[in-house]
């Protein structure tokens, strides 16, 4: 790294650097890889100046500068990472973050709002989050701008005397200056805990403005060029293995344990009315206490998900819920990480989102139909568990249903749909094709249940040969979970 550069030399060195950055940016764009740049560091270290330089040197098309200061009411009412998922760059684009997801945990630790154990836990979550993005093809580059206590003091006093820069100096800047040594310990701990092999921190000395900007730009160019070369090599030599849909589940067959002979018999209307009245009150109580609800509906084609959902939505005030139907991803959705389209529908505090099919498509249809590689769906189990853990940590009840029917019952319902004019739209060629791969899907479902049924987000397997029985079981389960959360 260059320690100091004169203004004349800086001006002479820029053309070559800028040309290299633009070429590297275009290669990443062609490779369809998102680039995340995090600029952080001490107050007065020149974070804004560095970002200004990068946005001038790069092609502004496809570059988004993201400064998430104080969370808005909308952001505070959702899980922590929601605000970052919303602003994540598309494949081929660049997102430049001021501090990103590191800011709040560090501030909370410095203020004493969280202890060391909680701080370390937050850093572990961040590592998992970044690893997930990297494994999906993102390049993450993190820069920490370092400034000595003496130099920071000089800069703040200089800015304070300049009428144009004075507004940039805040009370918190002076407070942080007094706490320099304490903050430096926090910074060092953060850098040590989150500087990983796949996304290391690059510490840049910020005492000389020209050297600081150039060193960030040079480091960025080298990292982008190396990554583009790596992507080209992987593309040339990579051969996608076939998905192992014959893999057996160690815990046995969960689906075979479901008693499909169960039926409700008489009293359906009375039980339904009772549970719907109960759910109506519980939903409002959850709203009053800021408890969100996420319902996941998975199951065989024609298992009755739609009718099941209608019995729940008819009990909940329409102002409190939203139903999201998951189909094949759109072109826009494919340009992001596969979880992006589900994160954007997470309910705000006290509300409910019902997913008619969900993120579990990654380990079901995408696995069986070879739409995801074995490496992609294989690591998804942990990603999905972490996703749901984030929801639960944000005061959300996660309820997951698998509606199970027999192949014979599915065939009967398919034939019935063909014969009823207003139900013909429910049966498609894809439904028949999926039916032919029943055994492959059964293996995938069993492994999904084994690996993603957790203590706080267990799978509820519902016997659905009898639609009425299934509806009562689903609404009863939801009531039980809400009552448990509400105490």
């Amino acid at each position: 790294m260059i320690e100091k550069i004169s203004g004349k030399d800086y001006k002479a060195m820029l053309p070559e650097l800028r040309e290299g950055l633009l070429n590297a940016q275009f290669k990443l764009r062609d490779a369809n890889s998102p680039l995340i740049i995090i600029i952080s560091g001490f107050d007065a270290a020149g974070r804004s100046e560095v970002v200004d330089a990068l946005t001038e040197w790069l092609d502004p098309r496809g570059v988004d500068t993201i400064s998430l200061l104080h969370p808005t009411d909308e952001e505070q009412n959702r899980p922590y990472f929601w605000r970052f998922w919303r602003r994540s760059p598309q494949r081929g684009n660049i997102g430049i973050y001021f501090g990103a997801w590191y800011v709040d945990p560090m501030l909370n630790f410095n203020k004493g709002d969280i202890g060391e154990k909680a701080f370390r836990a937050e850093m572990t979550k961040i590592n998992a989050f970044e690893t997930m993005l990297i494994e999906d093809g993102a390049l993450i580059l993190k820069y920490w701008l370092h400034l000595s206590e003496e130099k920071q003091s000089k800069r703040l006093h200089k800015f304070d005397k300049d009428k144009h820069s004075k507004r940039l100096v805040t009370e918190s800047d002076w407070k942080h200056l007094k706490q320099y040594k304490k903050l430096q310990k926090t910074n060092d701990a953060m850098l040590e805990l989150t500087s990983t092999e796949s996304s290391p921190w690059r510490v840049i000395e910020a005492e000389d403005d020209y050297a600081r900007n150039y060193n960030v730009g040079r480091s960025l160019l080298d990292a982008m060029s190396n990554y583009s070369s790596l992507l080209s090599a992987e593309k040339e030599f990579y051969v996608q293995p076939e998905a192992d849909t014959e893999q057996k589940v160690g815990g046995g067959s969960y689906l075979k344990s479901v008693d499909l002979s169960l039926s409700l018999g008489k009293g359906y209307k009375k039980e339904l009315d009772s549970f719907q009245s109960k759910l109506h009150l519980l939903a409002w109580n959850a709203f009053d206490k800021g408890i969100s609800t996420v319902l996941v509906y998975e199951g065989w084609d024609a298992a009755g998900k739609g009718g099941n959902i209608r019995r729940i939505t008819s009990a909940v005030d329409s102002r409190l819920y939203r139903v999201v139907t998951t189909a094949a991803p759109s072109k826009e959705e494919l340009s992001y990480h596969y979880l992006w389209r589900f994160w954007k529908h997470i309910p705000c505090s006290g509300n409910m989102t019902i997913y008619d099919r969900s993120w579990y498509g990654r380990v079901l249809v995408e696995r069986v139909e070879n739409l995801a590689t074995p490496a992609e769906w294989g690591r998804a189990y942990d990603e999905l568990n972490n996703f749901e853990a984030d929801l639960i940590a944000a005061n959300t009840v996660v309820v997951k249903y698998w509606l199970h029917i027999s192949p014979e019952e599915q065939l009967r319902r398919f034939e019935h749909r063909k014969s009823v004019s207003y139900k013909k739209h429910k049966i498609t060629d894809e439904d028949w094709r999926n039916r032919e791969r029943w055994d492959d899907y059964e293996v995938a479902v069993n492994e999904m249940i084994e690996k993603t049924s957790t203590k706080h987000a267990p799978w509820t397997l519902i016997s659905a040969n009898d639609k009425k029985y299934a509806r009562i079981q689903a609404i009863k389960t939801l009531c039980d979970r809400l009552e448990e959360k509400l105490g």
Side-chain angles (χ1 to χ4, degrees), residues 379-405:
R379 65 174 178 258
Y381 300 109
D382 286 338
E383 295 171 349
L384 302 181
N385 287 335
N386 289 336
F387 171 36
E388 291 170 1
D390 285 339
L391 302 183
I392 292 163
N395 209 27
T396 301
V397 176
V398 178
V399 183
K400 303 183 298 194
Y401 301 117
W402 175 267
L403 301 190
H404 189 48
I405 58 175

Side-chain angles (χ1 to χ4, degrees), residues 65-168:
T65 303
I66 305 153
S67 178
L68 299 172
L69 299 174
H70 304 293
T72 63
D73 290 342
E74 185 181 28
E75 291 168 342
Q76 287 179 329
N77 286 328
R78 285 182 171 85
Y80 178 64
F81 283 102
W82 182 77
R83 64 201 300 237
F84 304 110
W85 277 99
R86 290 179 74 206
R87 297 295 300 275
S88 60
Q90 289 179 291
R91 301 186 192 280
N93 287 4
I94 299 174
I96 305 177
Y97 290 82
F98 283 88
W101 31 87
Y102 291 92
V103 176
D104 288 342
M106 294 178 70
L107 288 176
N108 292 336
F109 182 54
N110 288 325
K111 290 187 296 183
D113 293 342
I114 61 174
E116 183 178 350
K117 184 178 180 180
F119 176 71
R120 287 178 172 271
E122 291 300 316
M123 297 301 104
T124 300
K125 285 183 183 179
I126 287 173
N127 286 339
F129 175 59
E130 291 180 352
T131 298
M132 178 177 60
L133 297 179
I134 291 167
E135 289 179 337
D136 191 58
L139 174 60
I140 300 179
L141 302 176
K142 304 184 294 194
Y143 294 96
W144 181 266
L145 307 184
H146 179 72
L147 202 60
S148 67
E149 183 177 5
E150 179 184 2
K151 187 65 174 180
Q152 185 184 51
S153 178
K154 287 182 179 179
R155 283 195 180 173
L156 288 175
H157 282 92
K158 180 182 177 182
F159 293 160
D160 197 45
K161 292 177 182 177
D162 188 305
K163 65 179 182 179
H164 298 294
S165 303
K166 186 178 179 67
R167 64 182 180 83
L168 300 176

Side-chain angles (χ1 to χ4, degrees), residues 395-435:
N395 209 27
T396 301
V397 176
V398 178
V399 183
K400 303 183 298 194
Y401 301 117
W402 175 267
L403 301 190
H404 189 48
I405 58 175
S406 66
E408 295 77 19
E409 177 62 18
Q410 184 189 61
L411 179 60
R412 188 191 69 78
R413 293 182 185 182
F414 278 10
E415 295 294 347
H416 176 67
R417 287 180 174 183
K418 285 172 57 179
S419 64
V420 179
S421 60
Y422 60 86
K423 288 188 176 183
K424 286 182 178 179
H425 70 282
K426 290 186 174 185
I427 187 73
T428 66
D429 292 340
E430 185 177 352
D431 294 328
W432 289 104
R433 187 173 67 249
N434 291 343
R435 177 175 166 79

Side-chain angles (χ1 to χ4, degrees), residues 55-267:
T55 54
E56 180 183 353
W57 299 342
L58 295 165
D59 186 338
R61 293 167 293 183
V63 177
D64 188 14
T65 303
I66 305 153
S67 178
L68 299 172
L69 299 174
H70 304 293
T72 63
D73 290 342
E74 185 181 28
E75 291 168 342
Q76 287 179 329
N77 286 328
R78 285 182 171 85
Y80 178 64
F81 283 102
W82 182 77
R83 64 201 300 237
F84 304 110
W85 277 99
R86 290 179 74 206
R87 297 295 300 275
S88 60
Q90 289 179 291
R91 301 186 192 280
N93 287 4
I94 299 174
I96 305 177
Y97 290 82
F98 283 88
W101 31 87
Y102 291 92
V103 176
D104 288 342
M106 294 178 70
L107 288 176
N108 292 336
F109 182 54
N110 288 325
K111 290 187 296 183
D113 293 342
I114 61 174
E116 183 178 350
K117 184 178 180 180
F119 176 71
R120 287 178 172 271
E122 291 300 316
M123 297 301 104
T124 300
K125 285 183 183 179
I126 287 173
N127 286 339
F129 175 59
E130 291 180 352
T131 298
M132 178 177 60
L133 297 179
I134 291 167
E135 289 179 337
D136 191 58
L139 174 60
I140 300 179
L141 302 176
K142 304 184 294 194
Y143 294 96
W144 181 266
L145 307 184
H146 179 72
L147 202 60
S148 67
E149 183 177 5
E150 179 184 2
K151 187 65 174 180
Q152 185 184 51
S153 178
K154 287 182 179 179
R155 283 195 180 173
L156 288 175
H157 282 92
K158 180 182 177 182
F159 293 160
D160 197 45
K161 292 177 182 177
D162 188 305
K163 65 179 182 179
H164 298 294
S165 303
K166 186 178 179 67
R167 64 182 180 83
L168 300 176
V169 182
T170 65
E171 290 184 13
S172 64
D173 292 328
W174 295 115
K175 182 179 179 181
H176 291 166
L177 177 61
K178 293 178 181 179
Q179 299 176 330
Y180 183 90
K181 289 183 174 59
K182 177 185 176 182
L183 294 176
Q184 187 172 25
K185 288 183 179 180
T186 301
N187 300 337
D188 290 344
M190 181 276 292
L191 294 172
E192 181 180 356
L193 290 169
T194 61
S195 192
T196 62
E197 183 178 354
S198 57
S199 60
W201 280 98
R202 294 162 168 84
V203 179
I204 306 292
E205 290 295 334
E207 297 207 357
D208 181 80
D209 292 348
Y210 290 139
R212 175 201 62 212
N213 291 2
Y214 181 81
N215 286 334
V216 171
R218 184 73 243 183
S219 171
L220 177 62
L221 172 57
D222 292 342
M224 292 168 70
S225 300
N226 291 338
Y227 190 66
S228 294
S229 299
L230 179 64
L231 289 175
S232 297
E234 287 181 348
K235 185 175 181 180
E236 182 176 352
F237 295 106
Y238 178 70
V239 177
Q240 179 175 321
E242 294 183 2
D244 179 18
T245 55
E246 297 303 318
Q247 181 177 349
K248 302 304 178 185
V249 179
S253 176
Y254 297 92
L255 296 184
K256 283 186 170 56
S257 69
V258 179
D259 185 356
L260 293 176
S261 67
L262 294 174
S263 61
L264 189 64
K266 297 180 180 180

Side-chain angles (χ1 to χ4, degrees), residues 18 27 29 67 75 85 92 200 251 291 305 313 368 459:
R18 294 182 65 170
K27 285 183 179 179
R29 185 180 294 172
S67 178
E75 291 168 342
W85 277 99
I291 297 171
K305 293 184 291 295
T313 56
V368 175
W459 278 100

